[in-house]
Amino acid sequence: MSLKLHNTLGRETQDFEPRDATAVRLYSCGPTVYNYAHIGNLRAYVFVDVLRRTLEYLGFGVRHVMNITDVGHLSDDGDHGEDKLVKRSRESGSSVWDIAEFYTEAFFRHAGQLNILLPHETPRATAHIPQIIELIQRLEEKGYTYTAGGNVYYDISRFPTYGQLAGLDLSTLKAGARVDVDTNKRNPGDFVLWFTKSKFENQAMVWDSPWGRGYPGWHIECSAMSMTYLGEQLDIHCGGVDHIPVHHTNEIAQAEGVTGKQYVKYWLHNEFLVLDKGKMSKSDGGFLTLDTLIEKGYDPLDYRYFCLLAHYRSELRFSFEALDAARSARRKVVSQVQALMASAGVTSDTGHVPTGPVPDSSPANEYLSVFRADLEDDLNTSRAVSRVWAVLKDDSLPAEDALSGVLDMERVLGLGLSAIRPEEETEVPEAVRALLEERQQARSARDFARADRIRDEVLEMGYTIVDSATGPHVKRRDS
Ligand code: AMP
Ligand code: ZN
């Protein structure tokens, strides 16, 4: 079998054939950093992480880019409301830059705790204003734009296949239904590429442009950053289902308007995580973050396990009862893997965990081939997780084989199955823990020199930092 993925474009499951198998060009829409990511947002990033790990597991090279939206995302996905970061700044009294920095760091910390691999590039919109302006200029040259009331708009009537991704019927698209009523717009579906006339005073983030001082629309940011880092044609573009009708629809219109070529071959969208009381929203304040789960005693990887039990295209209902079940299941798996490690004479912190390819002769391969087939079937993660259990239940498998089979699966699942048991950490002094946290922050900010200095400081205090699948742990130097 070969990898099959469900393409939102055309709504069918297709064989995955990248343009260039040595480097699958993967782009995922990143967080809007005006607040913590809620656990629903994090479901979207766990999904992309499993996709990327699957591609790598199957032997594809991957180049993964995820942006950070730190300007231009208004309260609504269209052009309605105030910039989310500016609004937050006004409410909190902190500068927009400080807010963006704080929540970007928090996002990377949460992603790390969930074993989400860092994308190869994580461009920030505010650091790509020249590329965004250039893209708007190219659209302007090709006649896709008009200026009205000081803003630059994309004219969707110039792009005949507008709305194809979402199956939009433009004749029924009414002003005010999907978009707000903006009297500058020629068509209700037109959208802003560059704002100069903000509806709000004191717009903190503004740049000079050929159209006046202002700031970019959210949609153009993603087109500019994806094409800057991955070229004009991507293999896969991901995001939550909410992005289909507006954000991704507009990204296609922008990119294909400029290049005349197909922008993305496979569009993949994850369904929502929902609460019993309905949608989880980042802006209504009543949302759950990963820190909330940690405070309640869960391991972030319990949440990752919970996410993997559902297919990414199914809505997932969150409840603490369901998370409890995921936690106890994951704990059982971890303790069985620990037992296997003990009988196979390996430990996770001495670096002797088998991580290489499982030999062809190993009986574990029978399980690995079905595991692989599950993933190739549009990422059937719940079945893939069940294969871990099947290996652990098979008493006829020698411990070494069972262990190498499970750890091979762990390469995609990322569930911390070879983690050090938490008891080993209990004696670590508070000062060392604080330094560990500081080092994580330095690493999130990619200040590796500072991270290394902290590691040395910890060493001088008599402790070694061990980076493992579940994140860093500390143990006594002499133990
Ligand atoms: P945002 O930071 O609001 O731009 O959203 C980040 C990502 O999370 C996007 O891909 C959204 O589509 C996705 N997303 C938003 N809410 C949820 C949810 N409740 N469940 C799953 N994904 C979501
Ligand atoms: Zn995007």
Side-chain angles (χ1 to χ4, degrees):
M1 208 175 126
S2 59
L3 177 61
K4 291 187 169 23
L5 295 172
H6 184 86
N7 194 347
T8 307
L9 189 64
R11 316 264 159 178
E12 61 175 12
T13 304
Q14 300 169 341
D15 283 326
F16 176 65
E17 285 163 10
R19 294 194 155 82
D20 171 4
T22 58
V24 173
R25 296 176 178 87
L26 168 66
Y27 184 86
S28 50
C29 287
T32 307
V33 286
Y34 69 102
N35 200 344
Y36 290 107
H38 59 57
I39 58 172
N41 300 128
L42 293 173
R43 180 186 189 200
Y45 302 108
V46 168
F47 151 62
V48 178
D49 185 61
V50 170
L51 169 65
R52 169 179 165 186
R53 285 167 177 261
T54 297
L55 290 166
E56 289 174 346
Y57 185 79
L58 298 176
F60 294 101
V62 181
R63 184 143 183 79
H64 180 201
V65 177
M66 182 197 72
N67 72 299
I68 302 288
T69 301
D70 52 2
V71 66
H73 194 169
L74 305 191
S75 304
D76 171 284
D77 283 355
D79 302 324
H80 181 72
E82 196 175 359
D83 183 307
K84 290 184 177 187
L85 270 121
V86 174
K87 180 163 180 274
R88 183 76 182 196
S89 164
R90 195 169 38 71
E91 288 163 356
S92 69
S94 302
S95 82
V96 276
W97 302 100
D98 287 347
I99 289 169
E101 203 46 47
F102 179 83
Y103 290 112
T104 302
E105 194 166 290
F107 175 79
F108 283 122
R109 177 163 49 83
H110 289 157
Q113 288 170 317
L114 284 167
N115 267 350
I116 291 171
L117 301 175
L118 196 63
H120 301 99
E121 301 284 350
T122 52
R124 286 157 212 239
T126 50
H128 293 78
I129 301 298
Q131 291 88 337
I132 293 167
I133 289 176
E134 194 203 314
L135 198 60
I136 301 173
Q137 282 177 314
R138 287 171 69 190
L139 281 169
E140 191 174 39
E141 279 158 23
K142 296 203 162 190
Y144 285 96
T145 68
Y146 60 93
T147 305
N151 296 330
V152 183
Y153 291 86
Y154 186 103
D155 180 352
I156 64 164
S157 70
R158 299 273 297 113
F159 188 69
T161 55
Y162 184 84
Q164 196 182 47
L165 179 75
L168 299 180
D169 178 355
L170 296 189
S171 61
T172 60
L173 190 66
K174 294 196 179 63
R178 199 203 77 181
V179 283
D180 66 327
V181 186
D182 175 344
T183 49
N184 293 322
K185 291 184 182 181
R186 291 181 189 164
N187 314 294
D190 291 351
F191 55 93
V192 179
L193 298 166
W194 188 267
F195 293 91
T196 64
K197 290 279 167 23
S198 168
K199 286 165 266 187
F200 304 93
E201 288 173 12
N202 309 323
Q203 177 73 25
M205 293 166 144
V206 282
W207 295 264
D208 287 330
S209 84
W211 313 281
R213 225 168 143 64
Y215 61 102
W218 170 42
H219 317 299
I220 195 75
E221 296 174 5
C222 273
S223 300
M225 287 184 276
S226 62
M227 292 203 285
T228 298
Y229 290 93
L230 294 170
E232 293 181 345
Q233 294 189 288
L234 321 185
D235 293 301
I236 308 178
H237 192 314
C238 302
V241 286
D242 55 325
H243 285 350
I244 301 170
V246 185
H247 185 49
H248 290 166
T249 289
N250 293 350
E251 270 195 57
I252 293 173
Q254 293 164 155
E256 298 189 2
V258 163
T259 69
K261 294 185 231 166
Q262 187 186 45
Y263 172 44
V264 173
K265 200 166 172 191
Y266 304 93
W267 284 93
L268 269 59
H269 292 98
N270 65 277
E271 252 300 343
F272 265 35
L273 177 87
V274 293
L275 299 174
D276 274 339
K277 62 181 171 69
K279 204 176 144 214
M280 183 173 301
S281 155
K282 214 173 188 179
S283 39
D284 72 4
F287 62 85
L288 294 167
T289 67
L290 196 62
D291 290 329
T292 322
L293 303 188
I294 295 169
E295 278 156 25
K296 289 182 184 289
Y298 297 94
D299 186 309
L301 298 179
D302 297 334
Y303 179 64
R304 184 174 170 113
Y305 191 103
F306 169 77
C307 289
L308 298 194
L309 294 181
H311 192 266
Y312 74 90
R313 287 196 293 115
S314 307
E315 197 172 84
L316 176 56
R317 190 164 288 275
F318 179 84
S319 71
F320 281 103
E321 291 73 35
L323 187 61
D324 285 341
R327 169 168 61 182
S328 77
R330 196 185 76 90
R331 279 186 178 170
K332 260 188 218 148
V333 177
V334 172
S335 77
Q336 289 190 37
V337 174
Q338 297 284 332
L340 281 177
M341 288 213 236
S343 49
V346 294
T347 57
S348 55
D349 48 345
T350 53
H352 297 313
V353 180
T355 51
V358 177
D360 286 347
S361 58
S362 170
N365 279 309
E366 193 189 315
Y367 293 99
L368 290 176
S369 66
V370 281
F371 174 79
R372 188 186 163 108
D374 296 335
L375 294 170
E376 286 178 335
D377 182 13
D378 193 27
L379 309 181
N380 192 330
T381 50
S382 65
R383 271 214 317 259
V385 169
S386 77
R387 308 301 177 189
V388 174
W389 286 92
V391 169
L392 294 173
K393 278 188 191 135
D394 184 345
D395 295 333
S396 71
L397 274 183
E400 284 263 355
D401 292 286
L403 185 60
S404 54
V406 168
L407 294 182
D408 193 64
M409 296 176 183
E410 168 71 0
R411 284 166 52 206
V412 176
L413 303 177
L415 292 169
L417 301 185
S418 60
I420 302 168
R421 273 163 299 190
E423 303 88 86
E424 293 176 25
E425 284 197 87
T426 48
E427 297 305 316
V428 177
E430 201 42 52
V432 173
R433 284 188 191 284
L435 281 172
L436 188 66
E437 180 62 35
E438 232 181 286
R439 176 173 168 269
Q440 274 306 86
Q441 283 169 10
R443 280 163 59 118
S444 302
R446 301 210 239 160
D447 185 350
F448 297 113
R450 194 173 134 231
D452 288 347
R453 281 198 301 278
I454 297 172
R455 177 192 280 270
D456 293 344
E457 211 177 310
V458 168
L459 204 61
E460 273 169 30
M461 292 167 83
Y463 291 85
T464 312
I465 298 177
V466 182
D467 289 307
S468 79
T470 45
H473 298 266
V474 185
K475 60 189 200 85
R476 287 205 69 85
R477 219 170 142 182
D478 47 11
S479 67

